[in-house]
Amino acid sequence: MSGFDTVTHAVYLACAVCFVLGLHLMTSPVTARRGNQLSAAGMLAAIATTVVVLARDGQATLLAAVTLTLGIAVGAVAGAVAAHRVKMTAMPQLVSVFNAVGGGAAALIAVGDAVAQSHSGDLAAEPVRVTLTTVLDVLIGGVTLSGSLVASGKLAGVLPGRPIAVPAGRWINLALALAVVAAGGAYLTGNGGLAVLCLVVAAALGIGVVMTLPIGGADMPVVISLLNAFTGTAVAMAGFVIGSTPLIIAGALVGAAGAILTKLMADAMNRSIGAIIAGGFGTGDENAGGPAAGATGTVRQTTVDDAAIQLAYASKVIIVPGYGLAAAQAQHEVVALAQALTERGVDVSYGIHPVAGRMPGHMNVLLAEANAPYTELKDIDEINPEFARADVALVVGANDVTNPAARRPGNPVSGMPILDVDHAKSVIVVKRSLGHGYAGIDNELYTQPNTAMLFSDAKAGLTALLAGLHAYVS
Amino acid sequence: MTPLLFADITVFVLSLLVGFEVISKVPATLHTPLMSGANAIHGVVIVGVMLIAANTTTPVGYGLLLLAAAFAAMNVAGGYIVTDRMLAMFKARPAEQGVRS
């Protein structure tokens, strides 16, 4: 190992340390921004080192250098502009696009490497260490590329958010999987070369589409996490193909992050990952049920004025924002109401379920954007003991995650972690109708004696509550 | 199984474990920035793209290289910027100019 190699390897190691420490600093909102900047600094160092390595080796042709520079310039500008302009509500689809291109780039590395090998030497002579990881990289990267683009399209509303049934989807998936196994096997045994690798690419892209289309909008947090884990794994495989340790380390870190979030999200929705991938019964953006969909028991309705007065004279209010609030983009309205109550001396906090919003933790970002202090954003374990002391729990656009039926066995939400909203002295639910959430069952919270319903769209209802607060309480 | 492959697998498995250990402590409040930040980290794939540029000599290769470079650069630049924008919004106290009444 030459002195130069020693230095480059040391820098790559330092970059990997930056990534790990960066992620570690993300465990607290106080240090998280610094963590991301540390991770970015590590990335810049890795890129700069690679530039030096390329320049020193002098192996790359001038045309390759120009192509590389041009591609990086175009991609970097496109990414930076999109990142600067995106609205926080549109964050999930953009992150999904970044995930897609990351997976795509990882797959292209393996394909590019194979193209170079077939040109310069005998592709069939490649060791299994390379060919096996090439097939895995191309497969996982391809699935991620097309799957993330479909997910992004669903989140952006370009594709319908509801589950789209693919005719004979299972058979198509099976056929594609067999094609991958056959073509991948041929590639591994040194038969077919680039042609069969292209077949693996095509089949992987198909699997990504067929897998993501039937998944409903409410299951998106799980899907995005899973695709994130896939990209990490694909990048690690690319690292195996070209023998680059930083790619293996960073890819494994991201794979672990994605896997943890996938598990957390699936648990929080009371669904197995397999059931979500099988798809087909998640809901879209709209509530599935019509008005008063088969509600049993008496539902008490309240008016804006009564609700506003109740909130104004409470000493402790917990706001529970859900998917409906994110869909109605009412984060500014809810924070404005919370601030008006805080000014009156009411103790206000937010109880946030892990799957509220369209990607893991999305609701926290929306509320932070609307200027809610993060000290008021409480997660499920932190807020649940507080409900018993709350005078009013204000539920906005959340459904299944507040259903007390989850504490009993034998129904679709059994065992799901819920917010203990029903423990509050009184509950006000702002919701458009008594329609069902994705679990498709009645919410027992709505028929409890201490619950009052305020039928309204989240945005309109919160605006009216704020106006009522100002009108009746000066 | 070559020693080289075994070394790579060792690094991969240990990195996975480090990832599980570090990330399982991240609070739910920060899950979106975490995912977005992790997303930016897999932008390290750009290093791989740069390395294969050294062996690129065919027209097909140049086409793939251009696409891969654009993809990876978009991933890195966009990922870090969007994560930073998000984290800048997390404040312990609301900013004065942002208070609505």
Side-chain angles (χ1 to χ4, degrees):
Chain A
M1 201 183 214
S2 70
F4 180 76
D5 282 349
T6 310
V7 173
T8 54
H9 279 90
V11 176
Y12 283 143
L13 176 62
C15 300
V17 171
C18 284
F19 296 154
V20 173
L21 290 180
L23 284 173
H24 175 72
L25 290 176
M26 285 215 180
T27 48
S28 155
V30 184
T31 53
R33 197 175 181 196
R34 227 184 313 141
N36 187 54
Q37 287 162 349
L38 180 65
S39 156
M43 186 64 72
L44 278 178
I47 294 171
T49 309
T50 314
V51 171
V52 175
V53 169
L54 282 182
R56 197 184 125 110
D57 288 355
Q59 223 183 350
T61 63
L62 180 65
L63 187 54
V66 172
T67 310
L68 183 66
T69 314
L70 184 70
I72 290 179
V74 170
V77 169
V81 169
H84 272 297
R85 290 202 182 150
V86 68
K87 285 189 180 160
M88 288 302 145
T89 43
M91 177 73 61
Q93 52 263 43
L94 185 68
V95 171
S96 215
V97 169
F98 290 156
N99 195 48
V101 293
L108 285 171
I109 286 180
V111 177
D113 187 64
V115 168
Q117 289 302 326
S118 74
H119 186 71
S120 67
D122 192 3
L123 188 62
E126 289 265 59
V128 175
R129 176 176 68 84
V130 174
T131 50
L132 178 61
T133 48
T134 295
V135 171
L136 287 176
D137 181 10
V138 166
L139 170 63
I140 304 170
V143 169
T144 313
L145 175 61
S146 60
S148 295
L149 287 178
V150 170
S152 177
K154 277 177 174 262
L155 289 162
V158 181
L159 295 169
R162 67 187 159 72
I164 302 170
V166 181
R170 271 161 203 259
W171 296 109
I172 296 178
N173 257 334
L174 187 65
L176 290 171
L178 287 175
V180 167
V181 171
Y187 188 78
L188 281 181
T189 50
N191 299 310
L194 286 180
V196 291
L197 195 60
C198 289
L199 191 61
V200 178
V201 174
L205 291 174
I207 291 174
V209 173
V210 178
M211 191 183 91
T212 322
L213 275 179
I215 298 174
D219 281 337
M220 276 303 156
V222 191
V223 178
I224 297 186
S225 313
L226 188 65
L227 289 168
N228 197 37
F230 279 8
T231 313
T233 316
V235 170
M237 290 306 135
F240 278 101
V241 173
I242 59 170
S244 171
T245 316
L247 264 68
I248 298 177
I249 297 176
L253 284 175
V254 179
I260 288 182
L261 287 176
T262 308
K263 178 83 172 60
L264 282 176
M265 294 302 116
D267 285 353
M269 297 182 86
N270 210 26
R271 301 276 300 272
S272 76
I273 295 164
I276 289 165
I277 298 302
F281 69 96
T283 58
D285 284 355
E286 303 301 317
N287 280 329
T296 52
T298 349
V299 172
R300 192 160 61 87
Q301 224 177 310
T302 185
T303 63
V304 168
D305 296 344
D306 287 346
I309 290 171
Q310 208 185 340
L311 287 169
Y313 291 103
S315 63
K316 183 173 174 62
V317 171
I318 298 175
I319 300 174
V320 177
Y323 182 72
L325 184 136
Q329 309 202 358
Q331 68 270 28
H332 289 286
E333 284 73 14
V334 79
V335 174
L337 180 66
Q339 282 172 350
L341 289 170
T342 309
E343 277 163 30
R344 281 187 54 81
V346 181
D347 171 15
V348 181
S349 45
Y350 302 84
I352 301 173
H353 195 269
V355 292
R358 293 157 162 257
M359 69 184 282
H362 189 208
M363 184 60 68
N364 296 282
V365 173
L366 294 179
L367 294 175
E369 183 207 12
N371 242 333
Y374 66 74
T375 46
E376 289 176 9
L377 309 178
K378 308 275 178 70
D379 68 21
I380 188 164
D381 296 329
E382 209 179 342
I383 201 74
N384 269 348
E386 292 191 26
F387 278 108
R389 286 185 285 119
D391 299 300
V392 184
L394 178 65
V395 180
V396 187
N399 192 347
D400 294 329
V401 298
T402 62
N403 195 344
R407 298 194 196 107
R408 284 198 324 264
N411 62 67
V413 291
S414 294
M416 173 164 157
I418 57 161
L419 290 157
D420 295 332
V421 171
D422 55 326
H423 292 175
K425 292 191 189 79
S426 64
V427 182
I428 300 171
V429 180
V430 180
K431 201 171 178 302
R432 278 180 304 186
S433 68
L434 287 174
H436 293 154
Y438 82 92
I441 60 168
D442 289 331
N443 190 337
E444 295 175 6
L445 177 73
Y446 302 162
T447 49
Q448 293 202 343
N450 59 342
T451 302
M453 304 293 295
L454 184 61
F455 290 114
S456 166
D457 165 73
K459 200 163 193 153
L462 290 165
T463 310
L465 277 177
L466 184 60
L469 196 64
H470 285 308
Y472 287 87
V473 188
S474 52
Chain B
M1 178 106 60
T2 61
L4 184 60
L5 177 60
F6 209 77
D8 281 351
I9 291 175
T10 307
V11 169
F12 179 71
V13 171
L14 290 181
S15 302
L16 269 180
L17 294 177
V18 169
F20 283 129
E21 190 60 29
V22 170
I23 289 148
S24 54
K25 293 185 192 114
V26 175
T29 320
L30 290 174
H31 275 167
T32 295
L34 167 71
M35 172 165 284
S36 173
N39 215 329
I41 288 176
H42 68 53
V44 75
V45 73
I46 196 169
V47 167
V49 174
M50 293 168 80
L51 291 175
I52 60 158
N55 303 325
T56 305
T57 47
T58 57
V60 178
Y62 288 125
L64 292 173
L65 180 64
L66 183 70
L67 192 59
F71 274 5
M74 187 175 174
N75 186 177
V76 175
Y80 278 113
I81 292 172
V82 92
T83 311
D84 190 64
R85 259 189 71 195
M86 256 189 275
L87 289 171
M89 295 182 322
F90 280 84
K91 296 185 195 78
R93 281 176 303 282
E96 278 308 307
Q97 72 274 17
V99 174
R100 289 146 185 263
S101 55

